[in-house]
Amino acid sequence: RGIPSLDTREHWLPGHIIPSLTEKLRQSQSMFAATGGVHGCGLFDAKGELLLSCEDVGRHNALDKLTGQMARVPERYQRGRVILLSGRISFELVQKVLVAGISVLVAAGAPSNLAINMAKRFNLTLIGFTHGGGFNIYHGAFRLNLTKQ
């Protein structure tokens, strides 16, 4: 209940930008730079531009801060948006992204099996292990344009 319909357009997200998102988020993380001990999350557009970022000791709290900022101006963040998480993906994080109406979730870490199942159920594009220039697609590859750029 309460999960909006996701954007089902095909090939709107260039796959070549996915590996660069982690570094772009890292550059915006002043608390991480100072402490090395906080999680971050960011909202990106389809060109890989960072629109919002938040940090917190807890990865769930960082995402709550981000979605709270998004809720202030929802019409700005509805289509063609990607959320990047600095850690692993739990089903609770998938649930929060779905409620926010975002159709693509990317993370530096791995998703849990329950997170993958939830992504499949609601047709969320789920991408993990964005390290070393590569990434794994767990569901929803139809949103990515994977041609060479």
Side-chain angles (χ1 to χ4, degrees):
R1 291 188 286 170
I3 295 178
S5 296
L6 299 181
D7 182 354
T8 57
R9 290 176 297 141
E10 294 184 1
H11 311 295
W12 62 264
L13 181 62
H16 73 274
I17 70 164
I18 301 295
S20 70
L21 301 181
T22 304
E23 182 56 33
K24 289 179 182 180
L25 177 62
R26 180 66 49 91
Q27 290 173 3
S28 76
Q29 291 184 268
S30 59
M31 285 195 308
F32 183 84
T35 67
V38 297
H39 286 281
C41 61
L43 181 71
F44 293 84
D45 67 15
K47 295 178 183 175
E49 295 299 318
L50 181 62
L51 304 173
L52 297 170
S53 67
C54 293
E55 295 180 277
D56 199 283
V57 171
R59 57 200 168 102
H60 293 265
N61 294 346
L63 182 57
D64 289 345
K65 288 177 180 180
L66 184 77
T67 56
Q69 287 186 29
M70 291 168 54
R72 291 181 180 164
V73 192
E75 61 278 0
R76 183 174 176 204
Y77 305 116
Q78 290 180 339
R79 285 178 55 111
R81 303 299 188 239
V82 176
I83 288 183
L84 171 74
L85 306 173
S86 64
R88 64 188 188 282
I89 310 167
S90 67
F91 86 92
E92 297 94 346
L93 295 171
V94 168
Q95 185 178 37
K96 290 175 185 192
V97 169
L98 288 169
V99 170
I102 302 298
S103 58
V104 178
L105 176 58
V106 179
S112 69
N113 190 51
L114 204 50
I116 295 169
N117 290 339
M118 184 174 276
K120 289 177 180 178
R121 178 176 176 201
F122 292 98
N123 210 16
L124 172 76
T125 296
L126 187 64
I127 299 170
F129 285 119
T130 56
H131 294 292
F135 55 91
N136 293 343
I137 305 170
Y138 295 92
H139 184 72
F142 69 92
R143 288 187 180 97
L144 298 179
N145 180 350
L146 297 172
T147 59
K148 296 282 183 188
Q149 298 293 323

